[in-house]
Amino acid sequence: SSEVLEAIENVVLNVLTSLGKQKAPVLTVANRSDWRNIEFEDSVGLQMIPCCTIRKIRSDCSRSAPKFALMLKILSMIYKMVQSNTYATKRDIYYTDTVLFGSQSIVDSIINDISCMLKIPRRSLHILSTSKGSVAGNLSYTEEDGTKVNCTYSATAVSVPSNVEGIKNLISHAKFMLIVEKDATFQRLLDDDFCNKLTPCIMITGRGVPDLNTRLLVRKLWDTFQIPVFTLMDADPHGIEIMCVYKYGSVSMSFEAHHLTVPSIKWLGLLPSDLKRLNICKDALIPFTKQDQKKLASIQKRPYVARQPVLKRELEIMAASKMKAEIQVLTSLSSDYLSRVYLPNKLQFGGWI
């Protein structure tokens, strides 16, 4: 707490010093969206380089002055929360003054900029995210407030906790973790009792692009249990992008890569090469859109693809076919093909990359 308070005090002191010298105060933030500021390391994923390009949020520029003011406003709110040991969600902060902030996305972006500027993880700023992810399977833990959560014997999933760092007493006999892209597939596997039928496992879904808490939980479970982690995604550029976020991280959150990425994650499916191997009917596949082509071309240029020849080959297969498929395409083979045949065979015979 003292570290956070001191960091905020230093920012305010710099602002006051500038004003004392009759200069316009400036806040300096690392450019989080610039690939030139990112390096790839096998053991971490995408991380921000120490000497990165910066953006200056000026108080004397009509374009950036509103953001400058909002950053100071949110810094003052964080300072009060840390002092009083209280917490708020990003949504709580937005609703303190919706007219002033304008939109939730503006608040989200400013909070990430502040976290990056102070070099302090967001959870240490006493700001929580509302979790959209779910977890199920062979896992129990205690939440920060003492609530005991047991996913093991529950037929329904449990919401990912809003304060992942605060959970303790994690217990599991799972042999692996399965990250599922979509909630519909996740629910189908739950209905089929997949977590217990084959061998005990933990299943997690971020319901599409994962939020921070879901990524933190995946990392925490991996750190705690050191079990294999597999991903089950659609065979399309969007699914590959989501898999890469879990495995390598994202550009915008690269300053927190050490807490969020799990580079040992394996891509279990649905692989582009699976479509031909399983003789999936072409009528069941979906043609690429221009957006798909653009997204895939962007992924193929990323630094980690060159280091992963097998991943590179799968992307080339997809690019050549210009076709994509959802996991649900496996129901064209049989209604329970995913849980009865596909996943057991993949896990038993090592059909992942």
Side-chain angles (χ1 to χ4, degrees):
S1 295
S2 58
E3 185 190 335
V4 178
L5 296 175
E6 189 181 340
I8 295 172
E9 286 163 6
N10 285 338
V11 171
V12 176
L13 186 61
N14 287 336
V15 169
L16 293 173
T17 302
S18 295
L19 290 171
K21 293 177 180 177
Q22 297 195 332
K23 289 182 179 177
V26 174
L27 297 175
T28 305
V29 181
N31 197 336
R32 294 186 294 112
S33 60
D34 192 339
W35 272 93
R36 290 172 299 178
N37 288 339
I38 310 300
E39 63 181 3
F40 174 68
E41 193 178 307
D42 290 328
S43 62
V44 180
L46 300 175
Q47 60 179 355
M48 190 169 279
I49 59 174
C51 302
C52 56
T53 59
I54 56 170
R55 287 181 296 128
K56 291 189 173 181
I57 316 294
R58 302 189 63 86
S59 60
D60 61 347
C61 168
S62 59
R63 198 168 59 179
S64 63
K67 184 167 184 175
F68 179 92
L70 291 179
M71 285 184 76
L72 288 184
K73 167 75 173 172
I74 293 177
L75 278 168
S76 73
M77 294 173 80
I78 292 168
Y79 194 87
K80 285 173 189 170
M81 287 192 295
V82 174
Q83 272 189 322
S84 59
N85 196 29
T86 55
Y87 289 81
T89 64
K90 294 184 297 180
R91 206 141 183 78
D92 292 335
I93 289 173
Y94 169 61
Y95 278 109
T96 58
D97 198 329
T98 55
V99 176
L100 177 68
F101 291 121
S103 73
Q104 182 69 60
S105 61
I106 288 172
V107 171
D108 296 353
S109 176
I110 287 174
I111 289 168
N112 286 339
D113 277 339
I114 287 172
S115 177
C116 185
M117 178 178 72
L118 300 179
K119 295 182 171 57
I120 293 170
R122 195 166 72 192
R123 58 203 165 277
S124 298
L125 301 178
H126 285 227
I127 296 173
L128 305 174
S129 305
T130 307
S131 301
K132 63 171 184 166
S134 300
V135 59
N138 196 288
L139 175 68
S140 63
Y141 56 86
T142 306
E143 292 195 345
E144 193 179 32
D145 63 359
T147 305
K148 287 181 168 59
V149 178
N150 192 340
C151 311
T152 307
Y153 303 110
S154 176
T156 56
V158 172
S159 292
V160 169
S162 58
N163 189 358
V164 174
E165 285 301 298
I167 66 174
K168 55 196 174 192
N169 304 328
L170 288 94
I171 300 168
S172 177
H173 303 292
K175 301 299 180 190
F176 66 91
M177 201 184 329
L178 182 67
I179 301 169
V180 183
E181 176 187 351
K182 287 180 175 172
D183 188 46
T185 308
F186 179 85
Q187 294 298 334
R188 179 61 198 263
L189 290 172
L190 262 185
D191 293 343
D192 290 348
D193 196 25
F194 178 76
C195 294
N196 300 308
K197 261 185 185 172
L198 186 65
T199 186
C201 74
I202 299 168
M203 279 202 317
I204 291 180
T205 180
R207 291 191 167 97
V209 179
D211 57 28
L212 190 71
N213 290 329
T214 304
R215 291 174 64 189
L216 282 168
L217 182 62
V218 170
R219 175 62 192 242
K220 191 177 186 83
L221 293 175
W222 181 71
D223 281 339
T224 305
F225 302 118
Q226 292 291 304
I227 53 177
V229 186
F230 301 103
T231 58
L232 181 63
M233 306 282 152
D234 288 340
D236 64 13
H238 188 66
I240 294 166
E241 174 80 280
I242 291 169
M243 184 268 294
C244 290
V245 167
Y246 283 109
K247 185 176 173 71
Y248 303 114
S250 59
V251 176
S252 64
M253 294 298 290
S254 58
F255 63 95
E256 268 206 69
H258 288 78
H259 308 289
L260 295 172
T261 59
V262 182
S264 65
I265 281 175
K266 308 296 182 191
W267 184 14
L268 189 67
L270 188 64
L271 303 179
S273 58
D274 288 340
L275 303 176
K276 188 176 181 182
R277 183 176 61 82
L278 297 172
N279 290 319
I280 301 292
C281 174
K282 277 201 170 180
D283 292 343
L285 304 179
I286 307 163
F288 261 23
T289 63
K290 283 185 178 178
Q291 194 176 1
D292 289 326
Q293 285 179 284
K294 190 176 176 183
K295 169 70 79 180
L296 183 58
S298 162
I299 294 170
Q300 286 178 299
K301 290 174 187 170
R302 292 181 189 172
Y304 45 75
V305 173
R307 304 260 197 104
Q308 306 278 339
V310 186
L311 171 62
K312 187 179 178 185
R313 177 69 190 133
E314 290 291 336
L315 299 185
E316 286 168 353
I317 291 169
M318 185 180 284
S321 72
K322 292 184 179 175
M323 302 291 275
K324 59 184 181 178
E326 296 183 334
I327 297 162
Q328 285 80 356
V329 78
L330 296 175
T331 57
S332 66
L333 301 173
S334 77
S335 61
D336 60 350
Y337 192 86
L338 176 64
S339 59
R340 184 177 56 85
V341 181
Y342 183 82
L343 289 176
N345 283 347
K346 281 263 180 173
L347 291 161
Q348 187 178 350
F349 300 112
W352 58 75
I353 63 170

